Amino acid sequence: MPEIISLGGFNELVKAKYGWMIYKKNDTYIGSSIREYGEWSSGEIEIIKQLVEPSDVVIELGSNIGSHTLPIAQLVPEGLVYAFEPQNLIFLNLCANISINSITNCICEKFALSDSINGNLHALK
């Protein structure tokens, strides 16, 4: 089990599989998985590894705290990741996780994207 560093309040920091991760210590799903296994949903990451190329541009909707964003950014070192997360506290953790891992090919945006009846994407701030 990796060393867990309390950051006070509801945040903890751990050296996870793809880098340092700040997560909410009371998060039953993603936080617990990162704490216990150092990653979240490894099967999805394995599929993503088969789909992306080093120079791809990836749009990630609902990035949460970046548990997929970090490995995706590492998989596309010559590309770019656009990470969208609308929930403020979770967005702040996403930005922190990108920053503490010195990820330079990721742009984080705090809004949701949703399709409409006619299939066009709409940004919801």
Side-chain angles (χ1 to χ4, degrees), residues 115-121:
D115 65 350
S116 67
I117 294 171
N118 64 8
N120 293 325
L121 285 178

Side-chain angles (χ1 to χ4, degrees), residues 27 30-31 34 40 60-67 69 83-87 89-95 97:
D27 180 344
I30 296 174
I34 291 169
W40 162 252
E60 184 187 25
L61 307 178
S63 298
N64 203 275
I65 63 170
S67 58
T69 316
F84 295 91
E85 175 52 51
Q87 299 176 78
L89 289 176
I90 295 171
F91 173 77
L92 294 173
N93 280 93
L94 167 66
C95 293
N97 288 330

Side-chain angles (χ1 to χ4, degrees), residues 18 46 83:
Y18 298 101
E46 291 306 314

Side-chain angles (χ1 to χ4, degrees), residues 6-117:
S6 175
L7 299 176
F10 47 77
N11 285 320
E12 291 181 338
L13 174 68
V14 68
K15 178 71 171 164
K17 183 172 182 178
Y18 298 101
W20 290 98
M21 293 291 299
I22 295 172
Y23 60 91
K24 305 285 183 264
K25 66 182 177 184
N26 296 322
D27 180 344
T28 306
Y29 301 104
I30 296 174
S32 292
S33 182
I34 291 169
R35 182 185 317 107
E36 292 296 318
Y37 308 110
E39 63 185 328
W40 162 252
S41 196
S42 61
E44 291 177 7
I45 299 299
E46 291 306 314
I47 292 169
I48 292 167
K49 286 179 180 178
Q50 297 173 31
L51 298 174
V52 299
E53 300 291 333
S55 61
D56 281 351
V57 174
V58 178
I59 299 171
E60 184 187 25
L61 307 178
S63 298
N64 203 275
I65 63 170
S67 58
H68 285 35
T69 316
L70 287 177
I72 291 170
Q74 293 164 5
L75 290 167
V76 296
E78 302 154 24
L80 190 60
V81 178
Y82 289 95
F84 295 91
E85 175 52 51
Q87 299 176 78
N88 188 55
L89 289 176
I90 295 171
F91 173 77
L92 294 173
N93 280 93
L94 167 66
C95 293
N97 288 330
I98 294 304
S99 179
I100 62 175
N101 287 287
S102 301
I103 301 295
T104 59
N105 64 334
C106 182
I107 297 171
C108 299
E109 297 286 350
K110 191 183 94 171
F111 55 84
L113 294 177
S114 174
D115 65 350
S116 67
I117 294 171

